[in-house]
Amino acid sequence: MRRPAQRLAAALALLLALLGGLVTACGGPGSSSDAEANASTSTPRIVVLSPGIGETLDALGLGEFVVGRHAFDRNRPDDIPVVGDQNGIDYERLLRLEPTHVLLERSASGAPPRLDGFAGSKGFVVREIPMLTLDDIRGCIGFLTTLFRVEGVNERASELLAALDEALSPLEQIDDRAGRMLLLYWTDPIGVAGPGSYHAEIVRSLGAMLAVDTGRAYQELDAEDTRRLYPDSIALFIPGADPSRKAELLGILASLDLRAVNSGRVAIVNHPSAQVPGPAVIDVANQLREAISSWPFLADVP
């Protein structure tokens, strides 16, 4: 399992993404500008302050143009400098990199005014991209394809979207196997992926029901709330988790006499980017599909 500091960092990144994504319904990543028109004529130099957007760039074959990264972006080579994280942006380092584009996830507070100010004076493009929902993830693929007109990017985008559609296609007889599914990011506290999160949308796309189908994209439950829910199945989205340590991963849930636990209907989705919105959704959905397909029908167990 992760060390506490790593777990805290991942939790903070996920929470900020979920909370920030609540404003994503107001529109797309932004309109074109003179700076964007100028940037489109040169070789991109991208500073990407979002692990999910960074992974999307990689999947589209655009990773070679990244010159600066987010502190939690683990897929980038060590020689690509960290420019920022949830605590702020290193503007001195940012300006030394001479970016043409700075990409970050849309948040409730918007892009930092200082960043916008430097963009205007230095002539680079700032784009905020929503990354909370499945539509946001699809939209990010399309937006980056339009923003960076590099040879082969359209073909890679088409392949990526096709793979995403296939991974999210309805799973036959899923209701008979999964019933009401509780989606968790961690169990101490009991952190739930609620409606509006892309994890909940994955499950709904597969055809399953949510045990928590109202409220915010991220919620916390106590033990009594969870016992009353009495879910038929549970999915744990924990990057790098060891499936052989299921009881430890379940934590307090292992002692609550839950139907999901007693019947063995616990899916551990441990993809390294299981909590990062982006192309990893494809592998996350496929891993969940495989787990659900291995469960017997609910009618066949106590």
Side-chain angles (χ1 to χ4, degrees):
M1 295 179 66
R2 292 181 172 194
R3 294 190 297 272
Q6 292 175 309
R7 184 172 177 270
L8 179 61
L12 179 60
L14 177 64
L15 281 171
L16 288 173
L18 289 168
L19 294 173
L22 295 177
V23 300
T24 62
C26 63
S31 59
S32 61
S33 64
D34 291 341
E36 186 165 310
N38 293 335
S40 67
T41 63
S42 60
T43 300
R45 293 181 57 82
I46 306 169
V47 170
V48 54
L49 301 180
S50 158
I53 299 173
E55 291 187 9
T56 309
L57 288 168
D58 291 339
L60 292 171
L62 299 168
E64 65 182 288
F65 302 115
V66 173
V67 297
R69 62 184 170 96
H70 187 280
F72 300 156
D73 186 342
R74 308 302 185 191
N75 297 326
R76 212 64 51 200
D78 291 340
D79 61 351
I80 302 296
V82 171
V83 174
D85 58 23
Q86 276 69 23
N87 295 317
I89 296 173
D90 185 334
Y91 287 99
E92 183 178 349
R93 181 173 291 175
L94 172 69
L95 296 178
R96 283 202 305 268
L97 293 172
E98 299 181 343
T100 60
H101 300 79
V102 177
L103 308 178
L104 61 161
E105 288 186 31
R106 179 173 291 169
S107 68
S109 57
R114 191 178 180 192
L115 179 62
D116 282 336
F118 278 126
S121 63
K122 300 298 183 180
F124 59 81
V125 175
V126 175
R127 284 293 173 263
E128 297 178 80
I129 304 175
M131 293 293 285
L132 179 66
T133 67
L134 291 178
D135 280 346
D136 291 339
I137 293 168
R138 288 188 176 96
C140 178
I141 294 170
F143 178 70
L144 294 178
T145 303
T146 301
L147 188 60
F148 303 109
R149 299 182 182 279
V150 176
E151 183 178 357
V153 71
N154 289 329
E155 291 77 8
R156 286 186 287 270
S158 296
E159 293 170 0
L160 200 57
L161 291 170
L164 180 58
D165 287 342
E166 183 176 357
L168 295 173
S169 62
L171 184 60
E172 187 176 353
Q173 295 181 304
I174 188 172
D175 282 344
D176 294 327
R177 297 182 187 276
R180 295 166 54 255
M181 180 176 284
L182 181 63
L183 315 181
L184 301 177
Y185 294 124
W186 38 76
T187 56
D188 183 19
I190 302 172
V192 178
S197 68
Y198 74 89
H199 291 95
E201 291 183 346
I202 289 173
V203 170
R204 281 178 164 166
S205 293
L206 297 181
M209 296 178 290
L210 299 177
V212 176
D213 60 1
T214 61
R216 299 176 307 234
Y218 174 78
Q219 305 175 38
E220 287 187 7
L221 302 179
D222 60 26
E224 287 305 313
D225 291 332
T226 308
R227 183 182 284 114
R228 282 193 293 270
L229 277 175
Y230 201 65
D232 298 304
S233 59
I234 292 172
L236 293 172
F237 299 96
I238 303 180
D242 182 353
S244 69
R245 302 172 69 179
K246 183 181 293 186
E248 183 179 344
L249 294 171
L250 285 168
I252 191 173
L253 272 67
S255 63
L256 296 183
D257 193 30
L258 300 177
R259 186 182 194 193
V261 176
N262 295 340
S263 65
R265 284 180 170 76
V266 177
I268 298 174
V269 181
N270 61 357
H271 188 279
S273 295
Q275 294 182 3
V276 177
V281 166
I282 296 168
D283 294 327
V284 167
N286 282 328
Q287 193 173 0
L288 186 58
R289 293 174 71 94
E290 183 176 351
I292 294 171
S293 297
S294 72
W295 294 338
F297 291 146
L298 286 164
D300 295 335
V301 297

